[in-house]
Amino acid sequence: MSVAERALTSRAALAETLDPTRRSWVASANTPGTDFPIQNLPFCVFRHGQHVPRIGVAIGGQILDLRAASARGLFSGEALPAAEACDAPSMNGLMALGRLPARALRVQLSELLREGGSGDSAREVLAPALLLPRDEVALLMPAVVGDYTDFYASVHHATNVGRMFRPDQPLLPNYKWVPIGYHGRASSIVVSETPVRRPIGQRKAPTEDTPTVGPSRSLDYELELAGWVGAGNTLGNTIAIDDAESHLFVLSLLNDWSARDLQAWEYQPLGPFLAKNFASSVSPFVVTLDALEPFRAPLAPRAEGDPEALAYLSSESDRERGGFGITLEVWLRTARMRHEALEPVRLSRSQSLDLYWTFAQMLTHHASNGCNMRSGDVLGSGTVSGAAPENRGCLLELTERAAQPIVLPSGESRGFLEDGDEVTLRGYAEREGAVRIGFGECVGVVIAARS
Amino acid sequence: MSVAERALTSRAALAETLDPTRRSWVASANTPGTDFPIQNLPFCVFRHGQHVPRIGVAIGGQILDLRAASARGLFSGEALPAAEACDAPSMNGLMALGRLPARALRVQLSELLREGGSGDSAREVLAPALLLPRDEVALLMPAVVGDYTDFYASVHHATNVGRMFRPDQPLLPNYKWVPIGYHGRASSIVVSETPVRRPIGQRKAPTEDTPTVGPSRSLDYELELAGWVGAGNTLGNTIAIDDAESHLFVLSLLNDWSARDLQAWEYQPLGPFLAKNFASSVSPFVVTLDALEPFRAPLAPRAEGDPEALAYLSSESDRERGGFGITLEVWLRTARMRHEALEPVRLSRSQSLDLYWTFAQMLTHHASNGCNMRSGDVLGSGTVSGAAPENRGCLLELTERAAQPIVLPSGESRGFLEDGDEVTLRGYAEREGAVRIGFGECVGVVIAARS
């Protein structure tokens, strides 16, 4: 079978995994509204008790242990390299294989888990051997992140924030030409549920003569999507726009916590530094582009007069591929709300199609100077905001720098985050005729600054 | 023996390794002006033929194979953990042990290599077993760099560059309070002698209406020192100014190649990105702070009216420790100069004591918000420039953005770098009464952009 034939077969098999009528013999995967139906199958890294960490896949409320499944010989042929790479404490090896081996694994996993599929008749044996309830495992970082880059791809966010920091020129002249991005800190990327300590740092209000040092008074979240690099490129080589998606492995949620007072004082001329690098949280379940295939859609149209993307960032087929339509939400629950058993409140909801650049464009731009991308590298979208006030993906925008605080059901109000606040990001893709796919949650509780 | 006693012993033993009268039975280490006398003993990672990479130490024109030395049982006691960590293809494990085990190893190495020391009588056996001529080995990256941060610690550089990008306000109000830094790209850090491909990217002159894409027309080097982190700190914890040096393992040379046209167009508002991340070169020999001990000196005095460093960046004993006096040079040889057998010319010479901040201050600032530093992380000083025109550590400053090109002995002139140009950084510390210590070289040849 030629490479081209294999690719076609593999696309046909992929389509079957996305069949909205497909159901799993894992009952919780068929619950309407679940994040993890059989059409999703996101990867995660987990530890169960004293066992060594390994890679799993979420199915309903369960985690399927891919190491155990692989050891039972449940995978074969083209899926074997990916299955073998799952016996590891991080996904870097799996990511390095690129997308096709993981797709082959997905096809066999879907067959194993579907009602009437290869695993159905053996479910009494397989379920206890392979499945673990999600709340019995510890979810770990999906991969070792070599480099973390954060983009600024929401024109709404860039405009809203720019207005505060540079009222005379909110959107700089390069914005609509260059997918603006900067390097973030890899060491302080943590997995969801890791507490986030309020940073201490220098801040100086315009009215003050000299800076003071103390806990940030303007701690914020940033609602982002993260793209994780699969196969990399070697230093000096580029990634053509039409190849970019083959180098992207998965998407996840990302909260790029930000201390706005530290940021305002330090960010010129070289960009944010200590305002950001104290913590960035990622969700533990990473969703493959294959699972998102049914949710492809064009980005929101560019405004009248906006330039065409330059040739290296643009192609007919890339425009046809478009982006992935993912709805993103931020939820807040304060310590008092938890104490009073009040439910979290949703602070915002936005849409990844409102981004100005696709992940393919961000990745192609990143490598356009020969910069080498490595498996496990993270590309953040930047805060995903939309045009309306309720689409604003951080408090800086939502509360207009605390000038318009949000009032909560507990009677409290928030301009920025207080200690004890729990921020939860959620994401999902849904449309008529497809099964809804979820990203799970990215959660962090703010803890008091070090005394 | 208590910890305090051990530390004292260890300092006394350290002083012996720095004794300027100490000579090595490795003759080339006694040549006046050598970078690698027995007082230096910088580490490197090397590969010899088909053998696995391992850690060595430079002595004169030779590399001592620490793996081989360790296997022969030449080290003992407190030096053992460091010696064992040298059987590795990178220094991360050695760095993670912190400075004291490496100091113990240094003490035993110095005893082994000194004239009249433990190895002298066995030199006929030891030399062939342990020493390799430097030009017979391939020198590799010293460590796996988790994160790379570049500071901006030269007030002269910041002022000179600021004047070009912001004539109205060269030095921003935060500069003398905040050790300004930003995150660089770890993946594209390469070891000396790796060719550097000219990057392609977007650039737009102020006179142009729209950006164009092509090879950078303003490729530059940046003369920097790099500090490499030894023992790290955990996320959420800080590093006190008086502890900072115990977390710094070694210094090396760093060339932070920069494409000035890409930089001018992309850098606002989030800082340099593709203008920098196509390559940064480091020297293969990393010099321990122990070897630099005789070259401690106070930083150049701050200007009249400059603020005192804030409390977290300052202590009586830190001021007493000061910085390390290292002279830094840039040498250029073009392809035509090589063809005509012309020697390289020195473009600049500057002094690390002209930096506004010490590495201890940079590290303490970096971790002041709880950011976790990991063994092998790199902190660049930023371009090291001084007050005089001949102290300017990059072409942007030296040629005033190509307005005053440098004329070379070959009759060529340079505003920025051309393809084929070979840039060599050198560094050394010297003073009356101490043996000169060198950093070796950090070399890179510019190759043509990808067509």
Side-chain angles (χ1 to χ4, degrees):
Chain A
M1 198 158 52
S2 73
V3 172
E5 283 168 331
R6 255 208 319 270
L8 282 174
T9 311
S10 139
R11 285 206 78 83
L14 170 61
E16 286 176 13
T17 69
L18 297 166
D19 178 351
T21 66
R22 187 168 279 203
R23 291 166 58 88
S24 174
W25 50 262
V26 179
S28 57
N30 306 320
T31 312
T34 178
D35 276 348
F36 308 123
I38 191 169
Q39 289 79 6
N40 194 347
L41 302 176
F43 293 107
C44 65
V45 174
F46 72 96
R47 182 172 42 224
H48 181 235
Q50 300 304 310
H51 298 287
V52 292
R54 75 273 313 260
I55 298 174
V57 78
I59 177 80
Q62 311 277 311
I63 307 292
L64 183 137
D65 180 340
L66 284 166
R67 183 181 195 245
S70 191
R72 289 179 85 94
L74 293 172
F75 306 112
S76 62
E78 290 179 278
L80 273 181
E84 284 163 9
C86 289
D87 181 8
S90 81
M91 287 182 211
N92 297 74
L94 177 63
M95 290 167 158
L97 299 172
R99 286 181 56 193
L100 290 183
R103 179 179 296 168
L105 179 61
R106 171 188 173 84
V107 167
Q108 294 186 18
L109 266 172
S110 182
E111 176 61 23
L112 181 73
L113 288 167
R114 76 178 173 92
E115 273 184 359
S118 62
D120 198 351
S121 55
R123 62 163 88 172
E124 303 301 330
V125 181
L126 291 178
L130 305 182
L131 298 177
L132 294 158
R134 191 161 11 130
D135 51 14
E136 285 183 16
V137 305
L139 294 162
L140 309 178
M141 273 292 290
V144 177
V145 180
D147 277 290
Y148 161 40
T149 301
D150 204 19
F151 283 87
Y152 199 52
S154 165
V155 67
H156 304 288
H157 172 69
T159 305
N160 290 338
V161 173
R163 200 185 306 121
M164 296 176 214
F165 285 85
R166 294 174 306 277
D168 49 325
Q169 190 179 36
L171 209 57
L172 293 167
N174 56 13
Y175 188 85
K176 293 184 170 179
W177 297 96
V178 181
I180 295 290
Y182 70 106
H183 301 116
R185 178 87 189 171
S187 73
S188 53
I189 300 183
V190 295
V191 73
S192 174
E193 303 201 4
T194 307
V196 172
R197 191 178 287 282
R198 180 181 299 273
I200 288 173
Q202 287 191 40
R203 55 277 203 287
K204 188 185 92 60
T207 53
E208 292 168 334
D209 287 338
T210 58
T212 54
V213 176
S216 170
R217 304 180 187 116
S218 318
L219 186 60
D220 203 353
Y221 58 81
E222 289 195 329
L223 170 65
E224 302 197 19
L225 274 174
W228 298 68
V229 174
N233 64 305
T234 54
L235 184 63
N237 288 327
T238 58
I239 296 176
I241 186 69
D242 282 332
D243 287 339
E245 281 195 2
S246 72
H247 292 269
L248 272 169
F249 195 73
V250 289
L251 301 185
S252 76
L253 304 170
L254 168 67
N255 184 342
D256 193 44
W257 305 89
S258 300
R260 302 302 184 187
D261 43 358
L262 278 56
Q263 186 174 357
W265 173 232
E266 76 171 359
Y267 93 107
Q268 284 207 351
L270 298 180
F273 181 50
L274 297 189
K276 300 275 193 172
N277 65 16
F278 57 93
S280 309
S281 304
V282 293
S283 54
F285 298 105
V286 295
V287 176
T288 62
L289 299 201
D290 284 345
L292 290 165
E293 195 60 40
F295 306 98
R296 282 191 185 279
L299 295 192
R302 294 186 163 203
E304 188 82 33
D306 280 4
E308 292 285 318
L310 289 170
Y312 75 103
L313 293 175
S314 176
S315 76
E316 186 71 34
S317 46
D318 185 62
R319 278 189 295 278
E320 268 165 31
R321 278 190 295 273
F324 298 100
I326 300 162
T327 302
L328 296 161
E329 298 178 347
V330 183
W331 296 74
L332 177 69
R333 190 150 70 150
T334 67
R336 192 194 294 176
M337 288 165 74
R338 285 197 299 282
H339 184 71
E340 295 178 0
L342 292 166
E343 290 298 305
V345 290
R346 196 180 68 217
L347 298 184
S348 74
R349 177 185 277 167
S350 53
Q351 198 3 287
S352 61
L353 295 172
D354 281 334
L355 294 174
Y356 200 79
W357 304 102
T358 62
F359 274 103
Q361 289 175 313
M362 293 184 245
L363 182 59
T364 291
H365 179 67
H366 203 322
S368 65
N369 67 344
C371 181
N372 53 326
M373 312 301 299
R374 298 178 295 189
S375 308
D377 285 351
V378 168
L379 274 58
S381 60
T383 306
V384 182
S385 295
E390 63 269 26
N391 305 144
R392 296 176 172 184
C394 62
L395 286 173
L396 179 70
E397 290 172 80
L398 263 183
T399 69
E400 298 274 354
R401 227 177 188 166
Q404 296 172 28
I406 293 164
V407 179
L408 301 170
S410 53
E412 300 168 285
S413 70
R414 286 292 181 274
F416 287 106
L417 296 172
E418 301 289 338
D419 295 344
D421 285 358
E422 178 186 72
V423 177
T424 301
L425 311 186
R426 292 192 184 135
Y428 51 91
E430 61 184 2
R431 71 160 175 80
E432 207 49 42
V435 177
R436 178 189 179 282
I437 297 289
F439 280 73
E441 295 182 340
C442 182
V443 186
V445 174
V446 176
I447 59 175
R450 201 158 168 274
S451 58
Chain B
M1 197 156 57
S2 75
V3 172
E5 284 168 331
R6 258 210 313 272
L8 281 174
T9 311
S10 142
R11 286 206 77 84
L14 171 60
E16 286 176 15
T17 70
L18 297 167
D19 178 350
T21 66
R22 187 168 279 203
R23 291 165 57 90
S24 175
W25 50 263
V26 179
S28 58
N30 306 321
T31 313
T34 178
D35 276 348
F36 307 124
I38 192 169
Q39 288 79 6
N40 193 347
L41 302 177
F43 293 106
C44 65
V45 173
F46 72 96
R47 183 172 42 224
H48 181 235
Q50 300 304 310
H51 298 287
V52 292
R54 76 271 311 262
I55 297 174
V57 78
I59 177 78
Q62 310 277 313
I63 307 291
L64 183 138
D65 180 340
L66 283 166
R67 183 181 195 246
S70 192
R72 291 179 84 94
L74 293 173
F75 306 112
S76 62
E78 289 179 278
L80 272 181
E84 284 163 9
C86 288
D87 182 8
S90 82
M91 287 182 211
N92 298 74
L94 177 64
M95 290 167 159
L97 298 173
R99 286 180 56 192
L100 290 184
R103 179 179 295 169
L105 180 61
R106 170 188 173 85
V107 167
Q108 294 186 18
L109 265 172
S110 182
E111 177 61 24
L112 182 73
L113 289 167
R114 77 177 173 92
E115 273 184 359
S118 63
D120 199 352
S121 56
R123 63 163 87 172
E124 303 301 330
V125 181
L126 291 178
L130 304 183
L131 298 178
L132 294 158
R134 189 156 19 124
D135 50 14
E136 284 183 15
V137 305
L139 294 162
L140 309 178
M141 273 292 290
V144 177
V145 180
D147 277 290
Y148 162 40
T149 300
D150 204 19
F151 283 87
Y152 198 52
S154 165
V155 66
H156 304 288
H157 173 68
T159 305
N160 290 337
V161 173
R163 199 184 305 120
M164 296 178 213
F165 285 86
R166 293 174 306 277
D168 50 325
Q169 190 179 37
L171 207 59
L172 293 167
N174 56 14
Y175 187 85
K176 293 184 170 179
W177 297 96
V178 181
I180 295 290
Y182 70 106
H183 302 117
R185 179 84 189 173
S187 73
S188 52
I189 299 183
V190 295
V191 73
S192 175
E193 303 201 6
T194 307
V196 172
R197 190 179 287 282
R198 179 181 299 273
I200 289 173
Q202 287 192 39
R203 56 277 203 287
K204 189 185 91 62
T207 53
E208 292 168 333
D209 287 337
T210 57
T212 54
V213 176
S216 169
R217 302 181 189 117
S218 317
L219 185 60
D220 203 353
Y221 57 81
E222 289 196 328
L223 169 65
E224 302 197 18
L225 274 174
W228 298 68
V229 175
N233 64 305
T234 54
L235 185 64
N237 289 328
T238 58
I239 296 175
I241 186 70
D242 282 333
D243 286 338
E245 280 195 3
S246 73
H247 292 269
L248 272 169
F249 196 72
V250 288
L251 301 184
S252 75
L253 303 170
L254 168 67
N255 184 342
D256 193 42
W257 305 89
S258 300
R260 303 302 183 186
D261 44 357
L262 278 55
Q263 186 174 358
W265 174 231
E266 77 171 359
Y267 94 106
Q268 284 207 349
L270 298 180
F273 182 49
L274 297 189
K276 300 275 193 172
N277 66 14
F278 57 93
S280 310
S281 305
V282 292
S283 54
F285 298 105
V286 295
V287 176
T288 62
L289 299 201
D290 284 344
L292 290 165
E293 195 61 40
F295 307 99
R296 283 191 184 280
L299 295 192
R302 294 188 162 200
E304 187 84 33
D306 280 4
E308 291 286 316
L310 290 170
Y312 74 104
L313 293 175
S314 176
S315 76
E316 186 72 33
S317 46
D318 185 62
R319 278 189 296 277
E320 268 166 31
R321 277 188 297 272
F324 298 101
I326 300 161
T327 303
L328 296 162
E329 299 177 346
V330 183
W331 295 73
L332 177 69
R333 190 150 70 151
T334 67
R336 192 193 295 176
M337 289 165 73
R338 286 197 299 282
H339 185 70
E340 296 178 1
L342 292 167
E343 292 297 304
V345 290
R346 195 180 69 218
L347 298 184
S348 74
R349 177 185 276 167
S350 52
Q351 205 350 296
S352 62
L353 295 172
D354 281 334
L355 294 174
Y356 200 80
W357 305 102
T358 62
F359 274 102
Q361 288 175 315
M362 293 184 245
L363 182 60
T364 291
H365 179 68
H366 203 323
S368 65
N369 67 344
C371 180
N372 54 326
M373 312 301 298
R374 298 179 295 188
S375 309
D377 285 351
V378 169
L379 275 58
S381 60
T383 306
V384 182
S385 295
E390 63 270 25
N391 305 143
R392 296 176 172 185
C394 62
L395 286 173
L396 178 69
E397 289 173 81
L398 264 184
T399 69
E400 297 275 354
R401 226 176 188 166
Q404 297 172 29
I406 292 165
V407 179
L408 300 171
S410 53
E412 300 168 285
S413 69
R414 286 291 181 273
F416 287 105
L417 296 172
E418 302 289 336
D419 294 345
D421 285 358
E422 179 186 72
V423 178
T424 301
L425 311 186
R426 292 191 185 136
Y428 52 90
E430 59 184 3
R431 72 160 175 80
E432 207 49 41
V435 177
R436 178 189 179 281
I437 296 289
F439 281 72
E441 295 182 339
C442 182
V443 186
V445 174
V446 176
I447 59 175
R450 202 160 167 272
S451 58

